[in-house]
């Protein structure tokens, strides 16, 4: 696929990423070298992703939410993120168009990947996206989730 460990980003992937993101050739090549330093296999595993993600939330355990985010970025469903998936995710979440962000959000909430979002899937994401720093917040997030579920049931 061009995401080999050779140290050079394939021309095909470079051109595709330049067409589909805001990133320049220089930025992509620099990020690719950094990506290979951090992930010599050329892929990020779900565990590595969770470890990286947890650095952004040192006082919480965002493991469950990170699993859902990882799933939504793993476009070929092989259980890893290659450089292309990583850059597309980075672009989409930071500079993507509104419809791209909405498509990503939909894929995040569509936990079972069946093309629809159920009330239970919304509840699952809401409950894991509120990292509880203490026990009383867990209770608060459960109440928020239950309230959201009741609101959804009205529709």
């Amino acid at each position: 696929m061009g995401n080999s460990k050779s140290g050079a980003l394939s021309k095909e992937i470079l051109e595709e990423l330049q067409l589909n993101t805001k990133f320049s050739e220089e930025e992509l090549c620099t990020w690719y070298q950094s990506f290979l330093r951090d992930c010599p296999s050329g892929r990020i595993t779900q565990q590595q992703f969770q470890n990286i993600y947890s650095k952004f939330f040192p006082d919480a355990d965002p493991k469950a939410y990170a699993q859902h985010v990882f799933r939504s970025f793993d476009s070929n469903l092989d259980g890893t993120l290659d450089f292309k998936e990583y850059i597309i995710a980075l672009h989409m979440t930071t500079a993507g168009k509104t419809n791209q962000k909405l498509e990503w959000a939909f894929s995040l909430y569509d936990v079972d990947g069946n093309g629809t979002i159920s009330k239970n899937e919304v509840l699952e994401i809401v409950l894991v996206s509120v990292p509880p720093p203490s026990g009383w917040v867990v209770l608060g997030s459960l109440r928020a989730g239950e309230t959201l579920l009741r609101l959804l049931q009205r529709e």
Side-chain angles (χ1 to χ4, degrees), residues 94-105:
T94 61
K97 295 177 182 175
T98 302
N99 66 328
Q100 291 173 311
K101 290 178 180 180
L102 287 171
E103 287 174 9
W104 171 72

Side-chain angles (χ1 to χ4, degrees), residues 5-56:
K5 296 188 284 183
S6 68
L9 185 57
S10 77
K11 185 176 180 175
E12 176 185 287
I13 289 184
L14 180 61
E15 289 174 356
E16 183 178 347
L17 290 173
Q18 284 181 282
L19 284 173
N20 294 304
T21 71
K22 66 175 182 103
F23 305 123
S24 69
E25 178 177 349
E26 184 178 334
E27 289 173 312
L28 291 167
C29 289
T30 300
W31 283 1
Y32 186 63
Q33 293 306 316
S34 177
F35 182 84
L36 287 181
R37 269 193 307 279
D38 295 338
C39 304
S41 70
R43 300 189 170 279
I44 299 174
T45 65
Q46 186 169 348
Q47 183 62 49
Q48 289 171 309
F49 184 82
Q50 288 173 2
N51 291 341
I52 293 166
Y53 204 85
S54 68
K55 291 177 185 175
F56 293 101

Side-chain angles (χ1 to χ4, degrees), residues 65 125-133 137-138 140-141 144:
Y65 188 67
I125 298 300
V126 167
L127 290 177
V128 299
S129 66
V130 179
V137 175
V138 170
S141 67

